[in-house]
Amino acid sequence: MTILYVLHTTNPGNGASVAFMSMLQGLIPLGVTPVVALPDQEGIYHELKRQGVEIICSRYRMSTFPYLKGMKNKVLFLPRLIARLILTHQAIRNITRQAKECHVDMVHTNTSVLSIGYHVAKRLSVPHVYHIREYADKIGLHIIPSQHTLLSQLGAPHSYAICISRDLQAYYRLSDNNRSVVSYDGGDTQQEPMPHNKKEPFFLLVGRVQQAKGLELLLEAYASYHAQIHRPYPLYIAGGIADAHYYHRLMAFVRAHDLDESVNFMGQRRDVDQLMQRAVALILTSPYEGFGLTFMEAARKGCLIIGRYTTGVKEQMDNGKELEGTDIALAFQTTSQLASIMIDVTKHTPNHYDLYRERAYRTVCSEIYDQKRNVQRVFDFYNQIIQREKNETKNNSSIPAAIPPHTRER
């Protein structure tokens, strides 16, 4: 089968990109012929090109309103919105034209905040799949013209959804919808022993600098921790600056609390795996984490996890507790709880938490996170969609057309 994949970014460090590339490597051997639509010729474009994947490039942006924070963004809001709408219209037309030549059987959009694929699928008269990876409006991504637009598209005929967590599936009212499935962004099940690297005295957060990552709560907790500990561990934040206005606000907090020497914004890094292996603990503070891919990566690297007990991270913690019979990570919900956990971690030696790290490692290496299993689930879903569409077409064609009133016998 030939699938047109529509991506919203080519950034190789973006979680959606990482998950897509991994999924694609598993789907191709199963018989999927991919055609990938990209907004530019950067990042993963080069890797896909090297693999010989058919690529359609057309400039476009996410189907969300531009940022409004800061005077500059407010002044440019309307011009940016108009430009975004024009690019969207052009992209739908260009991608549709090129996709027709590829005879695609289905369109699969790799995110829920991009509607271009949905409209291309309608023009091609093929089914569409949304890969739902985020809470959109909850993380500041406001869909044009409203969240109701996405909900309507999810409920439309020939529309299907793959959700990366049960919580996301419930959030979009798809739990009882047989046109949606849950498939985790997993990884290969490993048989090797858990890494036991020497831990260094620093806390780590991996993620882009934006409000969706909950960095304000992290810094508030860290300031409280810093004031109570004689020799506090430094805090490293590894990730590019996605929101400059938000970053400056965070830096103002850092300076106001004399944390300049302790908080290090490291920018986007290529050695994240090594940082996880060395860190005394990874902290996850996002209030609306779709799945928690960083959770999985840290657990595989033998890193202690301190996670905000909500949405996708909560789901992975609950999965671990069900498998292991007890906690696999240190959970918090409030600023004071996070500060207390950081204090406890500093007071104990790293091996005090070995059992947590070992339970987390076994959990993420279990069958439910096996990438081959989840890729097969996606492939099976494709086949179900195609079969369902064939059956619906057959049933509709078997219904006799109504006889026009003027030709009926009297």
Side-chain angles (χ1 to χ4, degrees):
M1 67 182 77
T2 301
I3 310 290
L4 170 64
Y5 294 95
V6 186
L7 278 60
H8 73 295
T9 179
T10 58
N11 181 356
N14 181 274
S17 299
V18 172
F20 169 75
M21 294 297 285
S22 177
M23 180 183 71
L24 194 64
Q25 299 317 303
L27 287 171
I28 291 174
L30 294 178
V32 169
T33 300
V35 179
V36 183
L38 299 173
D40 56 63
Q41 296 183 5
E42 305 294 334
I44 64 173
Y45 167 87
H46 302 289
E47 177 60 23
L48 291 169
K49 197 75 175 175
R50 187 188 65 79
Q51 295 178 18
V53 173
E54 183 77 23
I55 300 174
I56 300 174
C57 271
S58 184
R59 288 182 60 210
Y60 55 82
R61 300 292 300 280
M62 291 189 297
S63 304
T64 57
F65 287 102
Y67 285 120
L68 256 177
K69 296 174 184 176
M71 183 55 65
K72 180 182 178 180
N73 288 333
K74 289 179 181 178
V75 171
L76 294 175
F77 176 80
L78 188 57
R80 285 172 173 170
L81 177 59
I82 293 172
R84 189 166 293 198
L85 293 175
I86 292 172
L87 285 175
T88 295
H89 176 73
Q90 293 174 340
I92 292 171
R93 184 179 60 195
N94 293 339
I95 295 171
T96 301
R97 176 176 52 81
Q98 295 183 64
K100 278 183 179 178
E101 300 175 3
C102 300
H103 305 288
V104 301
D105 300 297
M106 191 182 311
V107 179
H108 180 151
T109 300
N110 195 48
T111 177
S112 64
V113 291
L114 184 67
S115 64
I116 289 172
Y118 174 82
H119 294 292
V120 169
K122 286 189 70 175
R123 293 192 177 196
L124 295 174
S125 299
V126 298
H128 178 261
V129 178
Y130 265 123
H131 210 136
I132 301 179
R133 303 181 180 279
E134 52 280 300
Y135 290 86
D137 59 326
K138 292 290 187 182
I139 59 173
L141 297 174
H142 302 292
I143 292 171
I144 301 172
S146 72
Q147 182 82 347
H148 181 70
T149 304
L150 175 58
L151 294 176
S152 297
Q153 291 173 355
L154 289 170
H158 317 295
S159 184
Y160 301 83
I162 298 170
C163 305
I164 62 172
S165 71
R166 296 187 302 274
D167 194 78
L168 268 173
Q169 188 183 45
Y171 181 74
Y172 285 100
R173 308 170 192 174
L174 295 168
S175 297
D176 298 322
N177 190 328
N178 62 8
R179 289 187 292 151
S180 80
V181 295
V182 173
S183 181
Y184 287 147
D185 291 334
D188 293 331
T189 302
Q190 303 180 32
Q191 300 298 325
E192 302 85 16
M194 182 188 74
H196 285 279
N197 298 72
K198 183 179 180 181
K199 299 302 176 182
E200 299 178 20
F202 68 88
F203 291 107
L204 175 68
L205 181 138
V206 176
R208 288 171 293 173
V209 179
Q210 57 185 12
Q211 194 163 6
K213 296 302 179 183
L215 294 174
E216 286 173 296
L217 182 147
L218 173 62
L219 290 182
E220 289 171 4
Y222 185 76
S224 175
Y225 155 81
H226 193 274
Q228 298 178 63
I229 290 292
H230 177 58
R231 292 183 178 177
Y233 292 168
L235 171 64
Y236 296 167
I237 299 170
I241 299 173
D243 185 339
H245 184 266
Y246 183 64
Y247 167 71
H248 292 308
R249 198 167 82 202
L250 296 176
M251 286 305 301
F253 181 93
V254 168
R255 288 189 292 268
H257 291 80
D258 296 321
L259 300 174
D260 306 67
E261 301 297 321
S262 299
V263 176
N264 182 3
F265 286 90
M266 308 174 78
Q268 189 161 330
R269 305 278 296 208
R270 294 184 177 180
D271 60 343
V272 169
D273 287 352
Q274 289 75 23
L275 287 171
M276 288 179 176
Q277 289 179 351
R278 290 160 44 203
V280 71
L282 176 89
I283 304 177
L284 296 166
T285 52
S286 173
Y288 298 104
E289 191 69 51
F291 171 68
L293 189 58
T294 307
F295 184 109
M296 315 300 291
E297 293 169 345
R300 285 195 174 92
K301 300 304 175 184
C303 184
L304 174 67
I305 298 164
I306 304 172
R308 193 167 183 171
Y309 193 60
T310 181
T311 59
V313 172
K314 175 183 180 298
E315 186 165 320
Q316 311 325 319
M317 288 184 179
D318 290 346
N319 285 344
K321 191 168 186 176
E322 184 175 345
L323 288 170
E324 292 288 326
T326 188
D327 294 328
I328 64 170
L330 305 178
F332 70 91
Q333 291 181 311
T334 66
T335 303
S336 60
Q337 288 173 347
L338 175 55
S340 295
I341 291 173
M342 295 170 78
I343 291 171
D344 287 343
V345 170
T346 304
K347 289 181 176 179
H348 291 98
T349 60
N351 61 10
H352 179 79
Y353 297 96
D354 280 353
L355 292 179
Y356 281 92
R357 297 189 295 114
E358 289 168 3
R359 290 194 292 264
Y361 180 82
R362 287 195 298 267
T363 295
V364 300
C365 292
S366 66
E367 185 183 47
I368 61 174
Y369 297 108
D370 180 29
Q371 182 68 342
K372 291 182 180 178
R373 179 176 181 265
N374 285 296
V375 165
Q376 185 66 51
R377 185 166 178 77
V378 171
F379 184 71
D380 290 344
F381 190 49
Y382 286 164
N383 284 314
Q384 291 169 20
I385 291 170
I386 290 174
Q387 188 59 50
R388 177 171 179 155
E389 294 288 319
K390 285 181 179 178
N391 291 340
E392 288 183 0
T393 301
K394 182 179 178 180
N395 292 337
N396 290 337
S397 63
S398 65
I399 300 175
I403 301 174
H406 65 276
T407 61
R408 290 177 185 167
E409 295 183 3
R410 288 181 170 82

